[in-house]
Amino acid sequence: MEDCIFCKIVKGEIPCFKVYEDERVLAFEDINPISKGHTLLIPKAHAANLQEISDDDLAAVHLASKKVIRAIQEVLHPTGVAALQLNGKGANQVVMHYHLHLVPRLPGGPPLPVSAWELQPGDMETIKRTAEKISGAMVK
Ligand code: 5GP
Ligand code: ZN
């Protein structure tokens, strides 16, 4: 897609710090890292989000993330790595080309903002009704 910054990275029109590439996937460092080693994995084919990405590209991105997380583990020894993927402006997706974030938390580093929400018990009746609605809308 012409105006997509990540498509431009795939085409080499914008540089990136590449860490991995295969036929379907490109992985590179985020230029506004939440922590050292913050890496993005994208399909080379443009798809805006989880709703649009093809099954094969989705599988390829997530299989590649296993390779990248292993390498991050080896060189940075994080105490944990958040895998995060946003869909839509309301969820704070800024770049509308599917991407999976791998965000390592390094030893002694601060808690990751993306995983530090407080747990509040929900209303079981509401949760049950919502689950019924979603499961009723599932397409097999
Ligand atoms: P989102 O909120 O859409 O999940 O995150 C988009 C991410 O893309 C942000 O973390 C942002 O720092 C990163 N990003 C935006 N533009 C560029 C760019 O030109 N190069 C790289 N490497 N990362 C970018
Ligand atoms: Zn794109």
Coordinates of all heavy atoms in Angstrom, one line a residue, residues 1 4-8 44-47 96-98, ligand 2:
M1 N 0.9 -1.2 0.0 CA 0.0 0.0 0.0 C 0.9 1.3 0.0 O 1.8 1.3 0.8 CB -0.9 0.0 1.2 CG -1.9 1.1 1.2 SD -3.0 0.9 2.6 CE -4.4 0.1 1.9
C4 N 1.7 3.5 3.2 CA 2.0 2.7 4.5 C 3.5 2.7 4.8 O 4.3 2.2 4.0 CB 1.4 1.3 4.3 SG 1.8 0.3 5.7
I5 N 3.8 3.2 6.0 CA 5.2 3.3 6.4 C 5.9 1.9 6.4 O 7.0 1.7 6.1 CB 5.3 4.0 7.7 CG1 6.7 4.6 7.9 CG2 4.9 3.3 8.9 CD1 6.7 5.9 8.7
F6 N 5.1 0.9 6.9 CA 5.7 -0.5 7.0 C 5.9 -1.1 5.6 O 6.8 -1.9 5.4 CB 4.9 -1.3 7.9 CG 5.2 -1.0 9.4 CD1 4.5 -1.7 10.4 CD2 6.1 0.0 9.8 CE1 4.7 -1.4 11.8 CE2 6.3 0.3 11.1 CZ 5.6 -0.4 12.1
C7 N 5.0 -0.8 4.7 CA 5.1 -1.3 3.3 C 6.4 -0.6 2.7 O 7.2 -1.3 2.0 CB 3.9 -0.9 2.4 SG 2.5 -2.0 2.7
K8 N 6.7 0.6 3.1 CA 7.9 1.3 2.6 C 9.1 0.6 3.2 O 10.1 0.5 2.5 CB 7.8 2.8 2.9 CG 6.9 3.6 2.1 CD 6.9 5.0 2.4 CE 5.9 5.7 1.5 NZ 5.6 7.1 1.8
K44 N 5.0 -9.3 5.1 CA 5.4 -8.4 4.0 C 4.3 -7.9 3.1 O 4.3 -6.8 2.6 CB 6.4 -9.2 3.1 CG 7.8 -9.4 3.8 CD 8.8 -10.1 2.9 CE 10.1 -10.2 3.5 NZ 11.1 -11.0 2.8
A45 N 3.2 -8.7 3.1 CA 2.0 -8.3 2.4 C 1.2 -7.4 3.3 O 0.9 -7.7 4.4 CB 1.2 -9.5 1.9
H46 N 0.7 -6.3 2.7 CA -0.1 -5.4 3.5 C -1.4 -6.0 4.0 O -2.2 -6.5 3.2 CB -0.4 -4.1 2.8 CG -1.1 -3.1 3.6 ND1 -0.5 -2.2 4.5 CD2 -2.5 -2.9 3.8 CE1 -1.4 -1.5 5.1 NE2 -2.6 -1.9 4.7
A47 N -1.6 -5.9 5.3 CA -3.0 -6.1 5.9 C -3.0 -5.2 7.1 O -2.1 -5.1 7.9 CB -3.1 -7.6 6.3
M96 N -1.2 1.3 10.6 CA -2.3 0.4 10.2 C -1.8 -0.7 9.2 O -2.3 -0.9 8.1 CB -3.4 1.3 9.5 CG -4.0 2.2 10.5 SD -4.8 1.4 11.8 CE -4.9 2.7 13.0
H97 N -0.7 -1.3 9.6 CA -0.2 -2.5 8.9 C 0.1 -3.5 10.1 O 0.9 -3.2 11.0 CB 1.1 -2.1 8.2 CG 1.8 -3.2 7.4 ND1 2.2 -3.1 6.1 CD2 2.2 -4.4 7.8 CE1 2.8 -4.2 5.7 NE2 2.8 -5.0 6.7
Y98 N -0.5 -4.7 10.0 CA -0.4 -5.6 11.1 C 1.0 -5.7 11.6 O 2.0 -5.9 10.8 CB -0.9 -7.0 10.6 CG -1.0 -8.0 11.7 CD1 -2.1 -8.3 12.3 CD2 0.2 -8.7 12.1 CE1 -2.2 -9.3 13.4 CE2 0.2 -9.7 13.1 CZ -1.0 -9.9 13.8 OH -1.1 -10.8 14.8
Ligands
ZN2 ZN 1.5 -1.7 4.7

